[in-house]
Amino acid sequence: MSSSPVKEAAAERIETSPSTMQRIVAVIDIGATAMRMAVAEIHDGAKVRVLDQLVQPVQLGKEAFETRRLSRKSTERVVSVLSQYQRVLREYGIEGTSDIRVVGTSAVREASNRLAFADRVYTATGLHVEPIDEAEVNRITYMGITPQLLANAELSNGKAMVLEVGGGSTEVLIVRSGNVLASNSFRLGSLRMLQAIDLARAGVDRRRALLENHINRTLNQLNEFVRGDSQLNLVAVGGDIRLATRLIVDDWQPGELAVLPTKSLAELTDTVLKMGDDEIVKRFDASFIEAETMGPALLAYSMLAKQFHLEHVYVSDTNLREGLLKDIAVGGSWTAEFRNQIVRSALSLGRRFHFDEMHARSVAELARKLFDQLRSEHMLDNRHEVILHVAALLHEIGMQINVRSHHKHSLYIIKYSELFGLSRSELLQVGLIARYYRRAPPQPSHTDYMSLDRETRVIVNKLASILRLATALDDTRTSRIREIECQTDGKRLMIHVPGVRDVSLEQIAMKQQAGLFRDVFGLSVMLRAGET
């Protein structure tokens, strides 16, 4: 095992113009089989120029997927590699930790002792390890691959499955014309498949049959997930498929989608599955990390292409680290288009439960306007506005189960649903905001609420109190109140409704709903009809 970081092929994705304003940052991805680091310059206009990429092998996935724990030996290995990376970063002028983002994917995320692991890393290096869930991975993948999809005539107007077979899981996005139709994660990973084969003590002849059996289970789930009869294109992402593409496609240009014939992929897969790791390394100039996972991953891609009768597969050279760098470049903010993708996903969920869409949209729009006009009071950012908007759209989704306690059922449905772009933590916040849009405020006996840290509990309180005002403004369910004007004087929030003569019904509802807002912000609420 190498004791020093290994250079990984890096391409400059975006040309940058000379600028006096630049920042050097780094992202580190702690994966199931390797730790990879990318160093980049960020220039004015959120332009990114990759300077360096390094990779070091680790064996986190094998033990995390089998025992659900990361051993002390593996933890110290991670600490050692991070210390090496920090020495490299000092050469680039990165001394502290504010310009370094460290993320852990499936192996770290699934380990039961991930908190102890993160604490040890922090104690030794000062670096915070952030376990990112499937929703965050899909968000970053979407950010990285969307420009390539829109630049391709066939993909920009058609339906595409963006898929990555990783060590522990397979991440899937279904995209049409730049819009995300669905996203999901499947427990199919190259390391998981290899572990199953080892447990079965299968010989060489049976290895492929066992691999195909595991892959077929996921293919059946994918058929249910994809739905629809429209032509589907496959866009493959991931290190294994990138290596295969470089072996087959001679003129692949950085930043562009490669076209990989399914027949050629199948032939390479057949060859690789008959070879040992050492032979793969020598013949294909692969690393030992790549040699171990290459066969199972390529078989999954190949079987998927055949399942959907595809003559070719598109392959993207974007990766998680490039997406993370772009995320840093834009300050972690959600673009307007990404916000719209989240809202579309929420609307799709609401329709599945037959929600009152007109009322939901009215409340969401009023909540947005309240949020915007009360920024000086709540001091929250645009991500929180999206969370509030989604909670407003879905606040009555539990009606389908039980009218009387629908707010509680709304929390349950939202908490356990898949909404593109929102992490499990963010989904819980959305669910709690919907939960507290009516009746009793948060209580110490509410387990989900108390599982949050204090800062997040305060955020939930703020947004739930705003949602209560928004629902009061559309208490008649007629969407007749569309515009509002908010004024505060330090003791009171005055909401004027221009163009509406009589707001007596809304005033009654506001009196019932404004208590939480008063408790959170210290402001009483008055609703007045506007002058006509």
Side-chain angles (χ1 to χ4, degrees), residues 124-168:
T125 67
L127 296 171
H128 295 273
V129 177
E130 173 192 352
I132 57 174
D133 63 16
E134 297 91 337
E136 180 73 354
V137 172
N138 282 331
R139 181 181 75 86
I140 292 168
T141 300
Y142 170 81
M143 287 179 60
I145 205 167
T146 297
Q148 293 182 340
L149 297 181
L150 295 178
N152 182 287
E154 184 177 10
L155 298 175
S156 63
N157 297 312
K159 186 176 180 182
M161 176 191 294
V162 181
L163 180 139
E164 177 175 4
V165 180

Side-chain angles (χ1 to χ4, degrees), residues 149-362:
L149 297 181
L150 295 178
N152 182 287
E154 184 177 10
L155 298 175
S156 63
N157 297 312
K159 186 176 180 182
M161 176 191 294
V162 181
L163 180 139
E164 177 175 4
V165 180
S169 60
T170 294
E171 309 298 336
V172 181
L173 285 175
I174 307 299
V175 184
R176 178 188 285 132
S177 303
N179 296 321
V180 176
L181 303 180
S183 63
N184 209 339
S185 179
F186 299 90
R187 291 176 64 83
L188 176 75
S190 52
L191 281 182
R192 290 193 201 274
M193 288 189 276
L194 290 172
Q195 282 184 336
I197 290 173
D198 292 340
L199 288 173
R201 298 181 180 178
V204 175
D205 294 337
R206 290 198 62 225
R207 288 174 64 88
R208 176 163 186 151
L210 288 171
L211 288 172
E212 290 178 347
N213 183 53
H214 279 278
I215 295 168
N216 276 324
R217 294 177 192 170
T218 301
L219 289 181
N220 292 333
Q221 297 175 47
L222 273 172
N223 281 331
E224 293 294 323
F225 176 66
V226 171
R227 300 193 190 100
D229 299 323
S230 59
Q231 177 62 41
L232 181 74
N233 292 291
L234 175 62
V235 182
V237 183
D240 297 297
I241 195 68
R242 286 197 300 270
L243 174 59
T245 304
R246 292 189 181 101
L247 294 172
I248 296 171
V249 180
D250 295 328
D251 57 348
W252 189 14
Q253 298 299 314
E256 296 182 1
L257 291 173
V259 179
L260 179 62
T262 301
K263 182 179 179 181
S264 299
L265 173 60
E267 290 172 351
L268 178 62
T269 301
D270 291 342
T271 300
V272 170
L273 288 173
K274 296 174 184 177
M275 301 167 65
D277 291 350
D278 291 339
E279 191 178 357
I280 293 172
V281 170
K282 292 178 181 178
R283 180 168 174 180
F284 299 124
D285 194 26
S287 68
F288 280 100
I289 304 170
E290 295 167 326
E292 184 178 29
T293 61
M294 189 175 178
L298 294 188
L299 183 60
Y301 288 115
S302 180
M303 289 178 64
L304 186 64
K306 291 179 181 178
Q307 174 80 12
F308 290 97
H309 309 290
L310 301 176
E311 294 184 359
H312 61 263
V313 174
Y314 291 99
V315 180
S316 171
D317 60 351
T318 189
N319 58 51
L320 180 65
R321 291 162 304 287
E322 291 178 355
L324 291 168
L325 289 170
K326 291 178 182 178
D327 199 36
I328 293 175
V330 298
S333 61
W334 289 346
T335 64
E337 179 53 34
F338 184 74
R339 176 194 185 280
N340 291 338
Q341 297 290 355
I342 296 173
V343 170
R344 290 189 191 102
S345 184
L347 288 170
S348 178
L349 178 62
R351 288 164 187 156
R352 282 171 49 197
F353 286 86
H354 307 288
F355 73 148
D356 183 345
E357 186 166 345
M358 186 180 78
H359 175 62
R361 285 180 177 271
S362 295

Side-chain angles (χ1 to χ4, degrees), residues 358-390:
M358 186 180 78
H359 175 62
R361 285 180 177 271
S362 295
V363 171
E365 182 60 17
L366 289 166
R368 185 193 66 78
K369 290 177 178 178
L370 286 165
F371 184 94
D372 187 56
Q373 296 184 39
L374 295 173
R375 286 183 182 274
S376 61
E377 300 296 332
H378 58 66
M379 304 295 288
L380 300 176
D381 61 29
N382 289 336
R383 284 194 180 211
H384 297 116
E385 186 274 324
V386 178
I387 289 173
L388 172 62
H389 194 96
V390 173

